[in-house]
Protein backbone atom coordinates (compact mmCIF):
# COMPACT_ATOMS: atom_id res chain seq x y z
CA UNK A 1 0.00 0.00 0.00
CA UNK A 2 1.39 3.37 -0.95
CA UNK A 3 1.57 6.30 1.43
CA UNK A 4 -0.88 9.12 0.81
CA UNK A 5 -0.79 12.75 1.80
CA UNK A 6 -4.15 14.44 2.06
CA UNK A 7 -5.23 18.05 1.93
CA UNK A 8 -8.48 19.02 3.67
CA UNK A 9 -10.94 21.69 2.64
CA UNK A 10 -14.18 22.78 4.26
CA UNK A 11 -17.41 23.10 2.28
CA UNK A 12 -20.95 24.13 3.13
CA UNK A 13 -23.69 22.53 1.06
CA UNK A 14 -27.34 23.51 1.17
CA UNK A 15 -30.68 22.08 0.10
CA UNK A 16 -34.36 22.80 0.68
CA UNK A 17 -35.05 19.04 0.64
CA UNK A 18 -32.67 17.09 2.89
CA UNK A 19 -29.35 16.82 4.66
CA UNK A 20 -28.24 14.12 2.22
CA UNK A 21 -28.99 16.36 -0.75
CA UNK A 22 -27.03 19.20 0.89
CA UNK A 23 -24.01 16.87 1.17
CA UNK A 24 -24.40 15.70 -2.43
CA UNK A 25 -24.74 19.30 -3.68
CA UNK A 26 -21.51 20.33 -1.95
CA UNK A 27 -19.58 17.32 -3.27
CA UNK A 28 -20.94 17.66 -6.81
CA UNK A 29 -19.96 21.31 -7.00
CA UNK A 30 -16.50 20.69 -5.52
CA UNK A 31 -15.92 17.85 -8.00
CA UNK A 32 -16.02 20.40 -10.82
CA UNK A 33 -12.68 21.86 -9.67
CA UNK A 34 -11.17 19.56 -7.01
CA UNK A 35 -9.58 16.31 -8.17
CA UNK A 36 -8.89 13.14 -6.18
CA UNK A 37 -11.50 13.62 -3.44
CA UNK A 38 -11.38 10.52 -1.23
CA UNK A 39 -13.45 11.07 1.93
CA UNK A 40 -15.65 13.51 3.80
CA UNK A 41 -16.88 14.04 7.32
CA UNK A 42 -19.96 15.97 8.39
CA UNK A 43 -18.84 18.61 10.88
CA UNK A 44 -22.03 20.56 11.44
CA UNK A 45 -25.68 20.46 10.43
CA UNK A 46 -27.92 23.53 10.52
CA UNK A 47 -31.37 24.41 9.37
CA UNK A 48 -33.23 27.58 8.51
CA UNK A 49 -36.70 27.90 10.03
CA UNK A 50 -39.63 29.73 8.42
CA UNK A 51 -43.06 29.79 10.06
CA UNK A 52 -42.03 27.11 12.54
CA UNK A 53 -40.93 24.62 9.85
CA UNK A 54 -37.60 23.61 8.31
CA UNK A 55 -37.15 25.71 5.18
CA UNK A 56 -33.55 24.90 4.25
CA UNK A 57 -30.71 22.62 5.35
CA UNK A 58 -27.01 23.53 5.57
CA UNK A 59 -24.28 20.93 6.13
CA UNK A 60 -20.62 21.73 6.77
CA UNK A 61 -18.21 19.10 5.45
CA UNK A 62 -14.50 18.50 5.63
CA UNK A 63 -13.32 16.85 2.44
CA UNK A 64 -9.98 15.10 2.06
CA UNK A 65 -8.27 14.72 -1.30
CA UNK A 66 -4.91 13.27 -2.30
CA UNK A 67 -2.19 15.53 -3.58
CA UNK A 68 -0.76 14.96 -7.03
Amino acid sequence: MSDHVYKKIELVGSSPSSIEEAVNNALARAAQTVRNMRWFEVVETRGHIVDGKVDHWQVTLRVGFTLE
Side-chain angles (χ1 to χ4, degrees):
M1 181 176 183
S2 62
D3 293 332
H4 289 111
V5 174
Y6 296 92
K7 171 94 174 141
K8 289 194 299 187
I9 57 173
E10 193 165 89
L11 305 171
V12 178
S14 62
S15 168
S17 302
S18 69
I19 294 168
E20 184 176 339
E21 186 175 286
V23 169
N24 287 326
N25 288 343
L27 294 175
R29 177 59 183 90
Q32 294 177 11
T33 57
V34 179
R35 293 184 303 277
N36 304 319
M37 290 190 296
R38 300 290 184 232
W39 54 264
F40 73 91
E41 61 181 314
V42 174
V43 179
E44 185 176 32
T45 305
R46 290 183 300 277
H48 181 230
I49 301 167
V50 174
D51 296 326
K53 296 181 182 179
V54 175
D55 183 63
H56 212 85
W57 294 98
Q58 284 188 334
V59 179
T60 303
L61 309 170
R62 286 194 190 116
V63 177
F65 60 95
T66 54
L67 299 174
E68 295 181 347

